[in-house]
Amino acid sequence: MKGKKRGWLLALAIMLLLLSACSKKEKAGAEEIVPEPEEIEEIEVEEPVEEPEEGGALLYRAPFTGVSTEEENWARPVLATINNHPHARPQSGISQADIVYEFMAEGNVTRFLALFQSELPETVGPIRSARDYFIHLSKGMDAFYVAHGYSPDAQKLLANRYVDNVNGMQYDGTLFKRSTDRKAPHNSYITGENIMAAMEKVGASDEIAKVPPFTFHESVEDAKIEDSASMIVVRFSSNKDFINTFSYDPGTDTYNRMVNGILTMDKANGEQVGLSNLIVMEANHRTIDSVGRQSVDIESGGKAILFQAGSVKELEWKNVDGFLVPMENGAPAKLVPGKTWIHIIPTNSGISKSVTYTP
């Protein structure tokens, strides 16, 4: 009996030793396990461009105007072809455009490409047909493109969804409305609300994807130099309906625009178009068909002249990542915060012949 009891005690002792060893191993193993750190979500914070001088809310620069605002606006730019035939004047929405590009179309008639990003008007128009170089400019800026109609080359680009767009040929009477006070093709309009609806309908993003490389002065005074120009005339042809006259108002530090003795006003809101910058850019033009349609080189750059704050500078321009940018000493020339008008004139006419100004 004693032998059996002694064997049982020995077995119990061995079991206790094994259990103790296992416990020590588990503790040792537990000490060796290093918990993985929790993943911290990275939040991108947009840096404000500037702070107000006397405290208060942070200010941000609007990307196309350089105007300081308390709220960031990352809306996608909208580029709309606006009719500039004399029968289409005055136009609606142009006083709210950040930039207006004036291009030759055909028959020595110009058309506007109005860029809206800071604000979208209630009504824009009259909307006119697309040209391929309008579409290429829109593509370069990743803008949502609005037109009514198209040239053969433009139609091919739009049919292939080269740019996000809406066209009145598909939405005449729905997204686009005809006014009764004018005759076609000078009476097609679209509302800002319908532009946003069109973006949703075609599955286009409504947020800005490319920030322009424009730079801006801190104040108008920084832009003033000795070379002054208070009255500027820009000619697209000898036709007085396409000769632009700009006058500088030192009280507002802006330029008004006049054609054939008539101030450029916005039909929709009755406001006068006021511009902080006027830019004239030379580009090669080539007539490509019997109708007189143009091919315009917006890639190669060329001569430019900049008017701002009552002053004038002879510069160059370049296509910088899709944006037409005035350049000074190899860098983007600084603009005065506010709205800008850009004339694209034929190289064969030349700035020296097409532009005159007086101090």
Side-chain angles (χ1 to χ4, degrees), residues 46-49 58-62 67-72:
E46 294 290 341
E47 292 291 334
V49 173
L58 295 175
L59 299 180
Y60 304 86
R61 280 198 189 278
V67 174
S68 297
T69 60
E70 291 187 6
E71 294 184 5
E72 293 177 280

Side-chain angles (χ1 to χ4, degrees), residues 17-34:
L17 285 170
L18 288 171
L19 287 171
S20 175
C22 289
S23 176
K24 286 180 180 178
K25 284 182 179 179
E26 288 175 0
K27 287 181 180 178
E31 290 172 356
E32 290 171 2
I33 296 173
V34 180

Side-chain angles (χ1 to χ4, degrees), residues 171-184:
Y171 298 100
D172 197 355
T174 54
L175 294 177
F176 292 74
K177 302 292 185 181
R178 298 282 184 172
S179 69
T180 57
D181 61 337
R182 295 174 179 176
K183 295 181 180 180

Side-chain angles (χ1 to χ4, degrees), residues 77-234:
V78 171
L79 195 66
T81 300
I82 296 182
N83 195 335
N84 189 38
H85 190 281
H87 292 166
R89 302 171 187 168
Q91 296 91 344
S92 296
I94 57 173
S95 69
Q96 293 173 265
D98 290 356
I99 302 174
V100 174
Y101 300 86
E102 186 168 355
F103 276 94
M104 291 287 295
E106 54 266 2
N108 289 325
V109 174
T110 66
R111 287 187 186 168
F112 299 158
L113 285 183
L115 186 141
F116 304 98
Q117 196 276 331
S118 298
E119 52 186 332
L120 193 56
E122 288 188 13
T123 304
V124 182
I127 302 297
R128 202 62 171 91
S129 58
R131 295 294 178 267
D132 58 334
Y133 43 99
F134 300 167
I135 296 170
H136 286 298
L137 183 61
S138 183
K139 177 72 171 181
M141 298 188 289
D142 192 48
F144 185 77
Y145 181 57
V146 180
H148 191 147
Y150 27 66
S151 66
D153 289 339
Q155 184 178 15
K156 292 175 185 177
L157 292 171
L158 296 178
N160 291 327
R161 290 298 303 272
Y162 182 72
V163 291
D164 291 333
N165 76 95
V166 63
N167 197 285
M169 295 295 283
Q170 288 76 47
Y171 298 100
D172 197 355
T174 54
L175 294 177
F176 292 74
K177 302 292 185 181
R178 298 282 184 172
S179 69
T180 57
D181 61 337
R182 295 174 179 176
K183 295 181 180 180
H186 312 302
N187 64 348
S188 176
Y189 294 83
I190 189 169
T191 63
E193 183 178 354
N194 280 354
I195 290 174
M196 297 304 295
M199 285 187 186
E200 185 175 355
K201 183 179 285 289
V202 302
S205 170
D206 62 359
E207 295 184 355
I208 191 170
K210 294 179 71 175
V211 178
F214 300 133
T215 59
F216 297 93
H217 290 287
E218 291 300 319
S219 71
V220 177
E221 294 302 318
D222 294 340
K224 293 181 178 179
I225 59 176
E226 290 184 3
D227 296 333
S228 62
S230 60
M231 181 78 72
I232 304 106
V233 178
V234 182

